[in-house]
Amino acid sequence: NRETAAMSGDSTTSVLQRGQVDLHDFVDWSGVECLNQSGSHSILNALKKGYREDVSLNLQSDADEQLLIYIPFTQVVKLHSVLIEGQEEEAPKTVKLFANRDHMGFSNVNDFPPSDSSILSTDNIKGQPVAVKYVKFQNVRSLTIFIEDNQSGSEITRVQKIVLYGTTVETTDMKGLKKIEDH
């Protein structure tokens, strides 16, 4: 079990709970978008299994240090924690998460309060997941990740790996339930 720092940046820590899985298999890949990504260093390099483990591949910002990533899911999930890895100075620093907020752009990202936000520590960018405010991520159809800046304030942000941990929301099959007779 790995410990995770609370996303809101306070000193409390929680442990990655049993049953939490990499939500990679529940990503709707046809809808994944990333604004301000470099043409040769796209979001798939950091998000897709196989690519994100290759140290020669990464997601890189283009015009400035900011990145706006939209990740839809094929089914409703509960998000528990987020892992965002990067290399030293160019790794993400301030990260804001928005649950179920579609069609965001750089022009309106500050118009909405984030569901959660964090300042990533050196431990986080080297592989320690960050726990989110779990109550705000119970019914997630999509996740928008806004990377506001990087560790050094340089013009380029590089992300090595993004892993989303959580569970799928179990839906009850109402037809399968038997009626209980009143006595």
Side-chain angles (χ1 to χ4, degrees):
N1 283 349
R2 300 178 86 160
E3 287 199 351
T4 59
M7 187 74 177
S8 55
D10 60 22
S11 60
T12 61
T13 58
S14 64
V15 175
L16 194 58
Q17 297 175 348
R18 289 185 200 275
Q20 302 300 322
V21 298
D22 179 347
L23 295 172
H24 177 275
D25 293 336
F26 305 103
V27 171
D28 178 0
W29 295 102
S30 66
V32 172
E33 295 177 1
C34 183
L35 301 181
N36 194 38
Q37 68 184 341
S38 162
S40 58
H41 298 278
S42 77
I43 180 61
L44 297 182
N45 290 346
L47 196 57
K48 263 198 143 168
K49 278 186 183 174
Y51 291 49
R52 65 186 184 195
E53 286 76 26
D54 184 338
V55 294
S56 68
L57 297 175
N58 58 44
L59 164 62
Q60 183 175 310
S61 64
D62 191 23
D64 61 23
E65 75 282 5
Q66 295 185 336
L67 289 162
L68 190 59
I69 303 163
Y70 176 73
I71 305 169
F73 296 99
T74 57
Q75 63 187 67
V76 178
V77 300
K78 293 181 182 184
L79 186 66
H80 177 271
S81 56
V82 177
L83 173 97
I84 301 177
E85 288 183 19
Q87 302 291 321
E88 308 297 321
E89 295 86 23
E90 293 177 328
K93 181 178 179 185
T94 307
V95 177
K96 296 179 180 177
L97 302 177
F98 300 85
N100 305 323
R101 182 67 68 179
D102 299 341
H103 310 296
M104 292 181 71
F106 291 110
S107 61
N108 69 354
V109 73
N110 291 318
D111 294 347
F112 307 103
S115 303
D116 208 347
S117 62
S118 180
I119 305 293
L120 299 182
S121 69
T122 303
D123 288 341
N124 296 137
I125 63 171
K126 289 184 177 177
Q128 183 182 55
V130 179
V132 299
K133 291 178 183 168
Y134 194 56
V135 294
K136 295 197 176 191
F137 296 92
Q138 292 293 298
N139 198 20
V140 181
R141 292 176 307 284
S142 68
L143 180 69
T144 301
I145 303 171
F146 176 46
I147 297 174
E148 194 165 18
D149 54 15
N150 55 45
Q151 298 290 328
S152 66
S154 68
E155 285 293 306
I156 293 176
T157 297
R158 292 182 209 271
V159 181
Q160 182 63 46
K161 182 189 281 190
I162 298 173
V163 184
L164 308 172
Y165 293 104
T167 58
T168 57
V169 173
E170 300 297 329
T171 56
T172 304
D173 179 7
M174 298 308 280
K175 292 179 207 154
L177 296 178
K178 291 182 181 168
K179 184 176 180 184
I180 297 173
E181 297 296 325
D182 292 330
H183 291 258

